[in-house]
Amino acid sequence: MIPYSLRLSRWLLLGCCLFVSELLQAQNAPQKLRFEYGDIRLGTGVTQPRLSWQLANTHPGVRQTAYQILVASSPEKLAQNEADLWDSGKVKTSQSVYVDYQGKSLESRQRYFWKVQTWDEKGTASGWSSADWWEMGLLDKKEWKADWIGMAGIIGEPPRSTQARKDFSVKNNLVKARIYATGLGDYVLKINNQKVGDQLLAPGWTDYLKKVYYQTYDVTSLLKSGENQLDAFLGNGWWSGGLGWGGGFHRYSQGPLRLLCQLELTYADGSTEVIASNKDWKIRLSPVIYDAMYHGEHYDARLEAKGTDADGWVTPVVLNDAKNQTTLFGPNKDPNVGEKADIFDMKKMEVVAQEAPPIRVTETKKAVTVTEPKPGHFVFDFGQNMAGIVHLSIPKATYSQEVVLHFAELLHEDGTVAQENLRSAKSTDRYICKSNGEAEEWEPMFLYHGFRYVEVVGFPGKPTVENVVAKVIHTDFQPIGEFSASEEILNKIYSNAKWTLKSNALSIPTDCPQRDERLGWMGDAQIFVASSCYLMDINSFWAKYARDIADSQHPSGYVYDVNPKMVVGGPSKPAWGDATLIVPWTTYEFFGDKRILEKNYESMKAWVEYMNTHTSTKKAGIYYFSDPDEKWFGYGDWVPVVASPGKPIGGAYQIYSNTLLAKAAHVLGKTKEAETYAALAKQYTTKYNELYFKDNNYEGKTQAANLMPLSFGIVPEKLKPVIAKNVADDVKAHQDHLTTGFIASQQILPRLTDYGYNDLAYKVATQKTYPSWGYMAENGATTMWELWNSDKERPEGMNSRNHFAYGSVIEWYFRYLAGVEPIEPGFKTFRIAPKPPKGLNRVNFSYQSLYGPIVSNWERKDGKLILNVTIPPNTVADLELPLQAGQSASLEGKKLKKGVSKLQPGSYQILIQ
Ligand code: BGC
């Protein structure tokens, strides 16, 4: 018999071993579990969701050979491995991204708990990941018990903001509370005076004639047992605030503003209660006395509803100041001020669960300087152009005092803000104080501004940097790419481009954030989609925008220049309309999201078919756009230094779009269509060359004229060096400067590098004299200018300082300087092929792919080039080295053979000498 003490220590040893092996397993367990796009897991409407994860195990060469997913209805069941909703079983595959859920059909409101384990290339199991969850929204229209409510008669250009309220009681033992809500235009909810959620400008911008998103909020912690109060503030946003130049004449509606809101309470005993917007809700005009996206928000704090008495809706103070003319709640109530909400019939409106992350505050900024160029006019300089709002804090208010905030990108010579380039946008917020001597705080609810400077007038006392704080806002995607180089001008341009992306992603990709425009211009979107995918985890943003395009598409197949459709008529112009193909295809390449192609294939095809069947060039039968007088052929290479003919750009993009459609058809298994569109692309290519190619040059002979066919595979193989030389010669003839506009500027550096002019590309990239990216940066730009010469152009015209298009230069930094690009969609296999130009000593690039971090860092040292790379688990990289004649490369002491080397997961150092 074994003595007790020995038995005990054996058990302890066994226990320890088990513990250690579990710990090791846990360390190797998959991580970064991701539901769909990784940004919305509460209140999703996706009924066939996809699950992704990353392998934590980083031993060299690690690959996944199988996975098993468990999905359960409670965390307890999941912990017991009781997968009552789905057990995938052991599935032999390396797929770890966008794996389809195949369990029981999903039900409204239910929360799903899941975990995953994987097996590596040696067949070793990883152990289970920690649990993650997602929760469904309302999947059936019938589950909406709420009515659309508003205040009948309150219409206008824009209509006045309103405020709805519901008092209700909550019983003891509340375990769960959800709000499902949306509005037309924007809405802000408060429970017991605390803001619900952290989103801004909800419900976001969609084609409101068709569809609006609803949001889901977990409000359990905001409620208390007993009496509670829910307030809804309704403002214009994009729906009725006025859009388009000339003051914003275009709007989806003139009001009244509307709300759809359903609060659902679940108690410990399983009983539920629903508090839904209906005619019993109270409604009145809100303290926001004016709000229009371009012009500003005006808030009269004296009009705030007071009191929480049984009525909870005390008529605001009687005002007698004629000056501000805000006496809407005087002793004689405005006849329009109803006590009870009115109901609106909105049966045709599609109410869809939100599909992309909301707009949020992503950063706050204090002014770097505050000046007083005129007595009482304080100018705050935030040092950075941006899109956002400001938070105003007044330490000691004066009753009825109006504080005015003027927003601008620029200053006049006298130091006051210059709003001329905002055109008709007034960009001015106003706040009227409600107290005497008390501290007051305010920020707008229904708009944003594009600004670097704010001029504050009427502030009681002298404001400090604490009193006017800038909040940067944009659609809340996470950064995934980071770049830096030894040449400062590249870092400055990179920063400018990144800030411009952040400033122009507010529910949709906009052209600019400041003037009377801020629209979803498609040319701008397609030019920046690839750069944005290198920088941000932005898959869902583009998936949503692809739907916006399709939602507004004309029945004949054409799309519009601006989406959601607004202001500009169709059909879309070349390079603008083609965002229909370029946005989904590029997003698919970067994230491997096949569904973006599935969902949008018909829309992509319809636009291509429109072009293919509306061929204007009688002689050759390829597409160009024209006005009825045959004088204007679209936007062409928009705002270039040297204009290029517009007609060929139509054919070039038609060919490119046919090519992309063929590729998409191939991915989706539509083999016949893939062949058809590939053949059409070929046929149009022949026609293009017949029409536009002459004397070894393309019509117009500009850089753009040669770049577009070179980029879209139109140039016959043997002529490619000739055409590339045309571009290079022209660049040299302009003393190493580009002459391109929005469209061709994306192509110039990549093509120069592709065809042996990398050092010339680098000269153009770091050029500091006009026209160049460096010129902007050297002349005070903190975001990309709309024009190469924005500093010299007239101030009052089309001259934004925050337009993304020229920001597309950074795509070359990632694809060529760092040399990283996807081969298989989503970086399952990818290329590392850095192209170090003469004069640049160091580049650092890291990218958080869906498989894990990719790194490509290189540095010149002691005559050697040292390259450090990281290949994430479950991927393979093709390494292509920049070997000069007579050079050789070694990886950890072993000589590498010439050509492409396959690199398995791991981190490596390569020496080139
Ligand atoms: C916008 C551009 C847009 C263009 C169309 C401008 O007003 O700001 O960015 O693409 O019009 O040519």
Side-chain angles (χ1 to χ4, degrees):
M1 176 120 164
I2 306 170
Y4 175 74
S5 59
L6 203 60
R7 268 187 287 156
L8 185 69
S9 52
R10 269 177 150 201
W11 277 114
L12 279 175
L13 192 68
L14 189 64
C16 272
C17 287
L18 280 174
F19 177 72
V20 169
S21 92
E22 255 174 39
L23 201 72
L24 279 178
Q25 270 205 338
Q27 274 173 1
N28 287 335
Q31 56 179 9
K32 302 212 167 149
L33 272 59
R34 178 172 167 122
F35 171 78
E36 272 293 303
Y37 297 123
D39 35 37
I40 296 181
R41 54 179 189 164
L42 180 72
T44 176
V46 182
T47 50
Q48 290 172 316
R50 296 157 301 167
L51 306 172
S52 312
W53 55 88
Q54 289 182 16
L55 305 191
N57 199 331
T58 50
H59 65 255
V62 63
R63 268 184 307 116
Q64 175 188 298
T65 52
Y67 70 75
Q68 183 178 13
I69 298 171
L70 300 184
V71 183
S73 57
S74 73
E76 294 77 25
K77 282 187 179 155
L78 191 69
Q80 301 296 322
N81 292 347
E82 206 186 305
D84 54 340
L85 299 170
W86 188 40
D87 178 349
S88 70
K90 183 173 175 180
V91 182
K92 288 191 179 157
T93 174
S94 70
Q95 189 185 357
S96 56
V97 166
Y98 290 132
V99 173
D100 287 319
Y101 167 81
Q102 289 173 45
K104 290 196 180 145
S105 63
L106 302 173
E107 284 172 26
S108 292
R109 304 178 184 83
Q110 187 164 343
R111 189 171 277 210
Y112 295 78
F113 300 87
W114 71 287
K115 62 184 179 182
V116 58
Q117 73 168 326
T118 56
W119 285 263
D120 68 12
E121 71 289 349
K122 293 185 206 102
T124 313
S126 66
W128 289 106
S129 70
S130 43
D132 201 9
W133 59 266
W134 77 88
E135 185 178 307
M136 303 307 292
L138 303 181
L139 300 180
D140 192 334
K141 253 187 165 175
K142 290 192 213 98
E143 291 172 289
W144 283 98
K145 304 291 172 231
D147 291 318
W148 281 93
I149 61 167
M151 198 165 166
I154 304 299
I155 56 171
E157 295 183 352
R160 254 295 297 266
S161 163
T162 51
Q163 179 184 1
R165 176 173 285 183
K166 179 68 183 169
D167 296 296
F168 59 98
S169 57
V170 174
K171 294 184 285 197
N172 289 336
N173 301 324
L174 179 77
V175 288
K176 171 177 154 185
R178 297 284 180 270
I179 285 183
Y180 306 97
T182 187
L184 285 167
D186 292 355
Y187 70 94
V188 171
L189 300 177
K190 287 186 181 174
I191 287 181
N192 303 326
N193 216 18
Q194 256 185 287
K195 186 172 186 289
V196 172
D198 54 4
Q199 79 299 333
L200 300 172
L201 305 180
W205 192 352
T206 45
D207 187 341
Y208 295 124
L209 301 177
K210 279 204 176 131
K211 156 171 131 185
V212 65
Y213 288 126
Y214 75 86
Q215 287 72 42
T216 303
Y217 307 95
D218 180 351
V219 293
T220 323
S221 64
L222 293 178
L223 293 166
K224 54 184 197 282
S225 298
E227 286 309 300
N228 288 269
Q229 194 166 67
L230 172 61
D231 279 297
F233 295 86
L234 309 182
N236 291 296
W238 297 282
W239 190 58
S240 46
L243 295 166
W245 42 89
F249 298 121
H250 303 266
R251 38 179 60 84
Y252 295 94
S253 168
Q254 296 182 351
L257 299 162
R258 287 143 224 224
L259 171 78
L260 182 74
C261 179
Q262 185 158 313
L263 166 62
E264 299 192 355
L265 307 174
T266 308
Y267 294 98
D269 62 1
S271 64
T272 57
E273 272 179 280
V274 178
I275 290 146
S277 52
N278 61 24
K279 61 178 172 28
D280 296 331
W281 285 38
K282 295 169 192 170
I283 196 149
R284 56 168 231 158
L285 298 176
S286 93
V288 179
I289 54 178
Y290 175 83
D291 72 287
M293 197 52 103
Y294 297 157
H295 303 310
E297 186 163 317
H298 306 173
Y299 188 89
D300 188 341
R302 299 168 304 179
L303 301 180
E304 286 172 359
K306 297 255 171 19
T308 48
D309 62 315
D311 181 37
W313 198 244
V314 178
T315 305
V317 286
V318 177
L319 305 175
N320 53 11
D321 58 322
K323 194 176 128 227
N324 288 310
Q325 298 190 337
T326 54
T327 318
L328 286 157
F329 303 103
N332 303 314
K333 263 199 229 155
D334 185 309
N336 285 326
V337 180
E339 289 281 294
K340 294 258 171 112
D342 298 295
I343 290 187
F344 296 89
D345 180 3
M346 302 283 288
K347 281 194 198 76
K348 287 205 187 112
M349 181 60 70
E350 228 187 299
V351 179
V352 180
Q354 181 157 353
E355 291 172 339
I359 294 168
R360 292 194 179 99
V361 175
T362 56
E363 206 176 314
T364 56
K365 278 197 169 289
K366 287 205 182 122
V368 287
T369 61
V370 185
T371 55
E372 193 178 359
K374 277 205 298 204
H377 289 240
F378 298 95
V379 174
F380 286 66
D381 175 3
F382 292 95
Q384 174 62 55
N385 208 14
M386 66 184 111
I389 52 174
V390 299
H391 184 91
L392 181 67
S393 320
I394 303 169
K396 252 181 168 198
T398 309
Y399 181 75
S400 288
Q401 174 68 38
E402 185 178 60
V403 183
V404 184
L405 307 160
H406 301 285
F407 295 80
E409 294 184 302
L410 302 164
L411 292 183
H412 288 132
E413 285 207 337
D414 69 359
T416 56
V417 296
Q419 291 190 318
E420 286 77 359
N421 75 327
L422 310 184
R423 302 193 303 213
S424 67
K426 294 194 178 71
S427 290
T428 298
D429 290 351
R430 293 167 189 275
Y431 175 80
I432 301 171
C433 302
K434 60 184 168 188
S435 73
N436 251 328
E438 280 171 38
E440 295 186 24
E441 309 244 340
W442 177 75
E443 61 187 48
M445 290 189 275
F446 302 122
L447 50 65
Y448 69 97
H449 302 283
F451 67 99
R452 170 176 167 170
Y453 304 97
V454 182
E455 185 170 326
V456 182
V457 188
F459 194 90
K462 195 176 172 179
T464 69
V465 291
E466 310 291 335
N467 299 137
V468 180
V469 173
K471 292 188 167 181
V472 179
I473 74 166
H474 57 82
T475 292
D476 191 15
F477 33 61
Q478 299 305 310
I480 49 174
E482 261 318 323
F483 174 92
S484 70
S486 52
E487 178 59 46
E488 241 349 275
I489 196 70
L490 292 180
N491 298 333
K492 184 74 190 84
I493 295 166
Y494 170 72
S495 165
N496 289 357
K498 202 165 163 174
W499 273 100
T500 313
L501 168 65
K502 293 200 258 185
S503 310
N504 282 297
L506 283 109
S507 192
I508 61 155
T510 59
D511 56 334
C512 57
Q514 75 298 72
R515 69 173 178 227
D516 53 357
E517 203 150 348
R518 316 185 194 181
L519 301 170
W521 280 98
M522 297 252 280
D524 310 49
Q526 66 98 345
I527 286 297
F528 88 64
V529 59
S531 303
S532 78
C533 292
Y534 273 113
L535 284 175
M536 304 285 174
D537 192 356
I538 199 169
N539 191 160
S540 58
F541 177 79
W542 291 115
K544 184 248 172 203
Y545 189 59
R547 293 318 298 156
D548 289 336
I549 299 169
D551 283 349
S552 294
Q553 196 159 15
H554 190 268
S556 69
Y558 71 62
V559 289
Y560 291 85
D561 289 334
V562 164
N563 287 290
K565 179 179 73 171
M566 177 48 72
V567 182
V568 190
S572 189
K573 317 306 169 296
W576 271 249
D578 303 282
T580 311
L581 284 290
I582 298 167
V583 164
W585 179 258
T586 309
T587 309
Y588 166 70
E589 278 191 315
F590 276 83
F591 298 100
D593 175 17
K594 198 165 149 188
R595 193 165 292 167
I596 196 172
L597 297 181
E598 285 162 1
K599 273 195 161 182
N600 298 294
Y601 183 77
E602 288 309 317
S603 145
M604 293 155 78
K605 183 170 148 188
W607 168 241
V608 168
E609 280 296 322
Y610 177 85
M611 287 191 285
N612 291 352
T613 53
H614 289 73
T615 50
S616 312
T617 311
K618 305 244 174 3
K619 192 172 119 204
I622 65 169
Y623 185 71
Y624 70 81
F625 173 86
S626 170
D627 66 356
D629 307 334
E630 289 271 321
K631 282 205 173 111
W632 187 65
F633 304 104
Y635 309 120
D637 188 24
W638 196 239
V639 291
V641 183
V642 175
S644 207
K647 260 193 197 179
I649 291 186
Y653 270 93
Q654 179 198 17
I655 292 164
Y656 188 44
S657 281
N658 272 276
T659 309
L660 294 185
L661 188 63
K663 286 186 181 182
H666 177 75
V667 171
L668 300 177
K670 299 175 191 285
T671 322
K672 245 193 123 68
E673 297 200 357
E675 283 165 11
T676 305
Y677 291 107
L680 281 170
K682 227 172 153 191
Q683 182 186 319
Y684 299 137
T685 297
T686 309
K687 301 285 181 194
Y688 188 99
N689 286 319
E690 275 171 26
L691 268 181
Y692 301 125
F693 182 71
K694 217 170 117 191
D695 301 333
N696 277 344
N697 221 314
Y698 279 91
E699 189 176 305
K701 300 185 177 172
T702 58
Q703 294 174 14
N706 284 289
L707 280 168
M708 299 322 292
L710 193 59
S711 295
F712 294 162
I714 297 170
V715 181
E717 201 53 43
K718 61 176 190 320
L719 283 172
K720 284 179 176 172
V722 177
I723 300 306
K725 187 168 178 301
N726 288 346
V727 178
D729 287 349
D730 196 79
V731 168
K732 287 179 202 157
H734 288 89
Q735 290 78 46
D736 303 337
H737 288 88
L738 49 69
T739 63
T740 46
F742 267 31
I743 301 303
S745 292
Q746 186 195 21
Q747 311 297 342
I748 187 160
L749 303 184
R751 294 303 81 78
L752 286 175
T753 300
D754 282 346
Y755 293 97
Y757 303 97
N758 194 37
D759 293 340
L760 182 63
Y762 183 64
K763 278 188 193 159
V764 177
T766 50
Q767 189 60 266
K768 289 179 183 164
T769 49
Y770 170 83
S772 67
W773 293 281
Y775 176 75
M776 296 183 197
E778 291 280 294
N779 284 282
T782 58
T783 43
M784 287 287 163
W785 293 348
E786 180 174 19
L787 308 173
W788 291 118
N789 61 346
S790 278
D791 57 335
K792 298 276 177 347
E793 269 289 307
R794 63 206 163 107
E796 72 284 2
M798 189 193 87
N799 196 354
S800 133
R801 300 307 201 279
N802 205 346
H803 247 66
F804 190 82
Y806 290 138
S808 65
V809 61
I810 58 171
E811 196 182 328
W812 179 76
Y813 295 13
F814 311 128
R815 267 193 218 272
Y816 290 84
L817 291 183
V820 174
E821 64 178 1
I823 298 175
E824 250 188 284
F827 290 86
K828 180 84 174 102
T829 63
F830 61 97
R831 199 178 337 270
I832 300 190
K835 301 271 189 301
K838 211 192 272 160
L840 185 63
N841 289 326
R842 179 183 56 79
V843 157
N844 285 14
F845 175 61
S846 64
Y847 179 76
Q848 303 302 320
S849 79
L850 291 174
Y851 297 92
I854 293 174
V855 175
S856 169
N857 294 342
W858 58 258
E859 195 176 2
R860 296 182 201 275
K861 224 178 189 177
D862 310 327
K864 292 188 192 105
L865 191 102
I866 305 160
L867 174 64
N868 284 297
V869 299
T870 298
I871 320 301
N874 213 18
T875 66
V876 177
D878 279 6
L879 178 71
E880 292 172 36
L881 294 172
L883 292 185
Q884 311 277 346
Q887 282 188 324
S888 68
S890 58
L891 190 155
E892 264 122 54
K894 273 196 222 135
K895 207 163 175 200
L896 280 173
K897 52 181 178 15
K898 288 224 158 72
V900 177
S901 315
K902 294 267 173 219
L903 288 189
Q904 299 300 324
S907 292
Y908 307 93
Q909 185 168 84
I910 296 124
L911 282 185
I912 299 176
Q913 50 194 333

